[in-house]
Amino acid sequence: MLFLQSGRQWNRRKIIADGITFFLYTVCTGWIIVGYEKYVCGLAIEQVAILRMMSGVPRVALGFACGMVEDAVKRRWFAGSSEFLSQAAAGAVALCLFQLPFYVGSALILSAGARQIVVTCILYIASDILFGWSYVYLLEYIRARFRVSTAPDP
């Protein structure tokens, strides 16, 4: 019984740590996408605000799952590699796999044009490639503060 309880506590700490990490990453990099949606894609400010609420709130609420995706990507494609580029690539892939479905679904509900959706998806991918390393660094830092293993679950 003690084993099960400590396992649950460990999972709870990891979920909280991963959720905080994703929230901080979104706050720090989200303004870039907002600017592109407004000025490059030509969305009205009302559309940007609604799109942020429709895609951003669920993403942040489920942000802990991005850490799970990142662990799975590391386990599957970058097993045993501790190189900076491998870690950054795992972070970028995880961020893209986690964020894009939320954005595309929200944009379709909002009736955004195909060009606007494609351009913003490309910008999300570029942003995640450029800043994926910071997500990985932040994830490891916060997991360490919560005393959670940074290694992917088996």
Side-chain angles (χ1 to χ4, degrees), residues 27-107:
V27 167
C28 292
T29 61
W31 61 272
I32 297 167
I33 298 297
V34 168
Y36 281 128
E37 287 173 341
K38 173 76 174 109
Y39 298 109
V40 175
C41 295
L43 293 174
I45 195 70
E46 296 83 17
Q47 286 179 305
V48 172
I50 291 169
L51 193 54
R52 291 291 103 208
M53 286 189 285
M54 287 178 65
S55 71
V57 171
R59 276 185 312 149
V60 170
L62 298 172
F64 68 90
C66 190
M68 292 177 191
V69 172
E70 198 258 349
D71 286 344
V73 167
K74 279 184 184 176
R75 215 177 21 254
R76 175 80 177 188
W77 292 322
F78 302 101
S81 178
S82 62
E83 294 178 20
F84 174 76
L85 289 178
S86 296
Q87 299 295 319
V93 168
L95 287 164
C96 289
L97 290 174
F98 179 74
Q99 293 189 94
L100 288 178
F102 286 104
Y103 175 77
V104 171
S106 299

Side-chain angles (χ1 to χ4, degrees), residues 27 31 67 72 128 136 140:
V27 167
W31 61 272
D128 290 340
V136 172
E140 290 180 5

Side-chain angles (χ1 to χ4, degrees), residues 5 7-17 146 148:
Q5 188 137 10
R8 253 189 259 137
Q9 183 181 18
W10 179 84
N11 288 331
R12 194 174 315 130
R13 285 192 312 212
K14 189 170 186 177
I15 287 170
I16 291 168
F146 276 78
V148 175

